[in-house]
């Protein structure tokens, strides 16, 4: 009797095969139906834990502004420069990380990223000069957290899910802000009671604790287990690992930059970064402190924003599966702009009802922009969409970095953050117009 020999079985010599495997072995297909829980959910859960830790590190900058100034006598603009570097590198790392994940796999890149953020956070505890802060926090933590950004969420969703892809992407995106919701009040309390160094050590230990789970549970592709993506009707072979990750990343940028939608989406996301990470997550705590609010209370309001990020982002993923993402984006930015313009009038020394209402509304809108932008990138750029989204995400962090630096400078010059809140609101109105201007993708390829 003739027995089919699969290329996955090293015991049987076969002719060399060019390109990716056409399908799973019969043995793998026989095993697949026995799984009670599709491995896609284990992958998504592990990815979520890693993103949670990275999210905690990205917002810790705002907690460090005051303590670093008190410890070393640094101005807010001095600290803001390193925070800007952290955010810009966070963004620029994302598209290269997407290409590296295609080349080396999700697991290796995620594990290396967690190691970087843990190392950077620990080294920050022993730095004494601004250039050392820039090296440890700006460079190492920026690079590590950038590899665990929403591009990572997009990669997991694209590889492992067909059905509920938008919803899963929204959940993984929300995991980053869940890290803020869980860790930020705790780290702020640790900072106030025990100092900023123990807070950094706590964050670093959290990253190191998740690292073994990533090594154990994070699978690179469903084809590795002989499975279809969750909700898929056809087996998807694992693509051959492309070489030249950096070259491919730049090539995708050059190709995408020739299309109008790329620049519109990059502009939209630059404003998104400026009006969230750049001003709110970096300067809300010191701004609230200017009005007499304690850092713990201000961090609790940020945590409330993080809690409602979960509601907003997951809901946005669900809506993106059903409605035009352009209209969703425009509506989100209009509402966000109004809330930022009103914020100076709401500021006080206590977390009264108006500030709580602001936190709830802003939390719903904060990261809700991500699923529609991912969907638009996927719609227009196909297999390269994760890398394109990485470049769009780089624009997000460039906008965030510029606003973080300018926010500290404005505060030093004018003694208030009020002009920055107003400028952020105006930028949101511009972003709403740009989102509306993105044309629907024609059949057959990305639009020009």
């Amino acid at each position: 009797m003739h027995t089919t020999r699969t290329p996955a079985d090293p015991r049987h010599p076969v002719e060399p095969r060019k390109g990716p495997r056409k399908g799973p072995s019969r043995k793998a297909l026989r095993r697949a139906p026995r799984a009670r829980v599709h491995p896609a959910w284990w992958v998504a859960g592990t990815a979520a834990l890693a993103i949670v830790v990275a999210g905690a590190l990205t917002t810790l900058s705002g907690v460090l502004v005051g303590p670093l100034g008190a410890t070393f006598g640094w101005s807010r603009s001095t600290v803001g420069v390193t925070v800007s570097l952290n955010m810009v590198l966070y963004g620029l790392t994302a598209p290269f990380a997407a290409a590296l994940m295609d080349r080396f796999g999700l697991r290796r890149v995620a594990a290396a990223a967690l190691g970087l953020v843990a190392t950077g956070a620990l080294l920050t505890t022993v730095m004494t000069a601004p250039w050392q802060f820039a090296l440890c926090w700006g460079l190492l933590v920026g690079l590590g957290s950038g590899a665990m950004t929403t591009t990572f969420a997009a990669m997991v969703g694209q590889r492992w899910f067909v059905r509920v892809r938008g919803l899963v992407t929204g959940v993984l995106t929300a995991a980053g802000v869940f890290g803020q919701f869980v860790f930020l009040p705790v780290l702020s309390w640790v900072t106030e009671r025990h100092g900023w160094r123990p807070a950094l050590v706590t964050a670093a230990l959290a990253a190191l604790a998740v690292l073994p789970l990533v090594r154990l549970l994070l699978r690179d592709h469903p084809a590795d287990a002989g499975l279809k993506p969750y909700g898929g009707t056809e087996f998807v072979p694992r693509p051959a690992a492309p070489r030249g990750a950096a070259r491919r990343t730049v090539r995708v940028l050059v190709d995408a930059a020739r299309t109008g939608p790329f620049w519109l989406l990059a502009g939209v996301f630059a404003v998104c970064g400026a009006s969230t990470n750049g001003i709110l997550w970096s300067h809300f705590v010191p701004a609230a402190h200017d009005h007499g609010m304690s850092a713990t209370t201000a961090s609790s309001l940020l945590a409330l924003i993080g809690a409602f990020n979960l509601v907003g982002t997951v809901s946005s993923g669900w809506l993106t599966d059903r409605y035009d993402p352009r209209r969703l984006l425009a509506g989100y930015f209009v509402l966000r702009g109004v809330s930022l313009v009103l914020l100076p009038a709401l500021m006080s020394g206590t977390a009264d009802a108006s500030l709580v209402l602001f936190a709830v509304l802003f939390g719903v809108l904060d990261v809700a922009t991500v699923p529609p932008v991912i969907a638009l990138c996927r719609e227009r750029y196909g297999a390269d969409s994760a890398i394109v989204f990485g470049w769009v995400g780089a624009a997000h962090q460039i906008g965030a970095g510029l606003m973080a630096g300018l926010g500290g400078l404005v505060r030093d010059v004018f003694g208030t953050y009020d002009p920055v809140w107003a400028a952020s609101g105006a930028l949101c109105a511009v972003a709403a117009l740009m989102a509306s201007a993105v044309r629907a993708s024609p059949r057959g390829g990305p639009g020009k």
Side-chain angles (χ1 to χ4, degrees):
M1 183 177 69
H2 177 70
T3 302
T4 301
R5 295 175 180 178
T6 68
D9 191 345
R11 296 173 298 177
H12 302 290
V14 295
E15 291 294 327
R17 183 187 296 273
K18 296 182 180 179
R21 189 173 64 180
K22 296 299 183 182
S25 66
R26 292 180 179 177
K27 184 178 180 181
L29 286 175
R30 285 196 302 269
R31 288 198 308 262
R34 298 178 186 175
R36 294 182 179 180
V37 177
H38 195 288
W41 295 110
W42 292 108
V43 171
T46 305
L49 285 176
I51 294 171
V52 163
V53 174
L57 268 295
T58 58
T59 54
L60 192 55
S61 300
V63 177
L64 296 176
V65 172
L68 289 178
T71 302
F72 300 110
W74 298 344
S75 68
R76 295 190 182 182
S77 56
T78 298
V79 178
V81 168
T82 291
V83 173
S84 297
L85 175 63
N86 175 285
M87 290 184 176
V88 170
L89 287 177
Y90 176 101
L92 292 177
T93 301
F96 291 95
L100 287 172
M101 288 174 190
D102 276 340
R103 176 69 179 88
F104 298 106
L106 300 173
R107 176 166 48 192
R108 290 182 180 179
V109 176
L114 288 171
L116 272 179
V117 297
T119 301
L122 290 174
L123 288 177
T124 301
T125 64
V126 297
M127 61 89 186
T128 57
W131 71 267
Q132 295 170 348
F133 183 45
L135 178 64
C136 300
W137 190 260
L139 180 63
L140 296 181
V141 175
L143 290 175
S145 58
M148 303 300 298
T149 185
T150 47
T151 303
F152 179 46
M155 291 285 287
V156 172
Q158 182 173 315
R159 287 188 178 188
W160 281 92
F161 292 87
V162 173
R163 187 160 57 91
V164 301
R165 180 181 285 165
L167 180 62
V168 169
T169 302
V171 171
L172 291 178
T173 302
V177 292
F178 183 73
Q180 302 159 7
F181 162 62
V182 171
F183 281 96
L184 192 57
V186 175
L187 296 177
S188 180
W189 179 86
V190 171
T191 301
E192 283 194 338
R193 296 294 182 91
H194 304 287
W196 55 274
R197 289 184 176 90
L200 287 177
V201 171
T202 302
L205 292 177
L208 293 175
V210 173
L211 202 156
L213 294 177
V214 167
R215 295 290 301 173
L216 180 64
L217 298 176
L218 191 63
R219 306 288 291 272
D220 291 327
H221 198 282
D224 295 343
L227 296 170
K228 303 172 185 176
Y230 181 80
T233 58
E234 297 180 358
F235 178 83
V236 179
R238 178 170 182 160
R243 296 185 179 275
R247 185 167 58 252
R248 181 191 175 205
T249 304
V250 174
R251 176 185 58 78
V252 170
L253 171 63
V254 171
D255 291 343
R258 295 171 180 165
T259 66
F262 172 80
W263 293 106
L264 288 171
L265 291 173
V268 165
F269 238 32
V271 174
C272 183
S275 56
T276 53
N277 300 55
I279 181 61
L280 196 83
W281 291 105
S282 297
H283 291 290
F284 180 80
V285 172
H289 189 265
D290 287 344
H291 288 78
M293 185 181 295
S294 70
T296 300
T297 301
S299 296
S300 297
L301 285 171
L302 286 181
L304 184 61
I305 291 176
F308 279 90
N309 277 171
L310 299 175
V311 177
T313 310
V314 174
S315 299
S316 181
W318 183 85
L319 291 169
T320 300
D321 286 333
R322 291 162 174 79
Y323 300 103
D324 187 342
R326 286 161 286 272
R327 294 184 179 180
L328 293 175
L329 276 177
Y332 296 157
F333 275 107
V334 168
L335 293 174
R336 183 190 293 182
V338 171
S339 66
L340 288 171
V341 170
L342 294 176
L343 181 57
L346 305 178
M347 281 289 197
S348 66
T350 60
D352 57 19
S354 59
L355 275 175
V356 171
L357 181 61
F358 166 83
V360 170
L361 175 62
F362 199 92
V364 171
L365 300 170
D366 187 5
V367 196
T369 56
V370 173
V373 172
I374 290 177
L376 289 171
C377 288
R378 187 184 303 119
E379 173 186 326
R380 307 202 61 101
Y381 302 105
D384 291 329
S385 62
I387 298 177
V388 173
F389 177 70
W391 284 114
V392 172
H396 181 284
Q397 293 308 116
I398 290 172
L402 289 174
M403 186 62 81
L406 289 173
L409 181 61
V410 168
R411 169 59 176 76
D412 287 342
V413 172
F414 295 100
T416 178
Y417 285 102
D418 288 359
V420 187
W421 302 122
S424 298
L427 287 173
C428 286
V430 175
L433 294 175
M434 288 191 292
S436 301
V438 179
R439 290 180 295 128
S441 177
R443 295 182 182 273
K448 303 296 181 187

